Amino acid sequence: SSHRSRALISQTVALANCTRPGEVDKRPGISVVSAMIQGSMFATGGYDHRVHLWTVSKDFTLACFPHLDLKHKSMVQALLGVSDSSEKLLTAGADCMINVWDVHSERLVNTLNISNSPYQVHATDLPSCALFEVSFIRYLVIEIFDPTR
C-alpha cells in the first residue's frame, strides 16, 4: 500500500513538472485535457488556442510533441481521441470550429464550422460519430456530426 502511494505521488510529480510551451502574446495555461485511445498519450488544449499531444513513458517521464498545426481563433474547449480507420483527435474551440486531426499522418483532415461554441464532446458507440454539447441561450442544444464527412 505504501509502495503504491509513493508510485502515485511520483507519477503526479512527473506530470506536474512538465512544461507546456506557449506563445508569449497569448494567455498561458491549459483549458482542457483528454486521454487518447493509445493508453500512453493524452492531449491538452489551451487558452493560447493551441493543442499539444503528450506521451507518457513507462518510467513516467513526459515528452511533448510540437503543437499541432490547428487553426483555432479562440481557446480550446473540448478534445476527444477517436478511432475509426485511424487514430484521430477532435478539437473544439470557443471559435465555433471543430477540427479533425489524424494522429498518424500528423495532418488536419477536416474542419467544421458549427452554430455555437462547443463546450463538451462525448464519444459514442459508433467510431465515426461524436456528440458535441454547444452553448445556446436558454436551451441545451446537442449537435451530432460525422467527422469523416
Side-chain angles (χ1 to χ4, degrees):
S1 173
S2 174
H3 182 275
R4 183 180 166 100
S5 297
R6 271 187 255 129
L8 184 58
I9 290 168
S10 68
Q11 291 173 23
T12 304
V13 171
L15 291 173
N17 289 336
C18 65
T19 302
R20 181 182 183 275
E23 295 181 29
V24 285
D25 63 334
K26 304 275 193 238
R27 178 180 168 192
I30 295 172
S31 55
V32 63
V33 176
S34 178
M36 296 295 291
I37 299 294
Q38 308 88 332
S40 63
M41 294 179 73
F42 66 95
T44 60
Y47 295 104
D48 62 359
H49 316 172
R50 297 171 92 181
V51 177
H52 289 80
L53 282 176
W54 301 81
T55 300
V56 182
S57 63
K58 290 184 181 185
D59 63 354
F60 298 105
T61 58
L62 286 176
C64 179
F65 289 24
H67 72 276
L68 305 182
D69 190 22
L70 299 175
K71 306 296 182 202
H72 280 289
K73 296 175 186 161
S74 193
M75 76 178 233
V76 180
Q77 297 188 144
L79 299 168
L80 179 66
V82 296
S83 180
D84 52 9
S85 60
S86 67
E87 306 292 329
K88 293 186 175 63
L89 174 64
L90 305 179
T91 70
D95 55 2
C96 301
M97 293 184 70
I98 296 170
N99 289 311
V100 181
W101 179 265
D102 187 282
V103 174
H104 297 294
S105 67
E106 298 182 3
R107 67 182 186 91
L108 185 65
V109 293
N110 202 352
T111 298
L112 305 166
N113 291 311
I114 62 173
S115 60
N116 291 294
S117 176
Y119 60 90
Q120 195 69 262
V121 59
H122 305 279
T124 66
D125 289 339
L126 301 172
S128 63
C129 185
L131 184 67
F132 289 88
E133 292 181 53
V134 298
S135 59
F136 193 76
I137 299 171
R138 298 186 189 189
Y139 303 102
L140 173 63
V141 176
I142 298 173
E143 296 188 17
I144 302 172
F145 291 97
D146 180 349
T148 62
R149 293 182 184 214

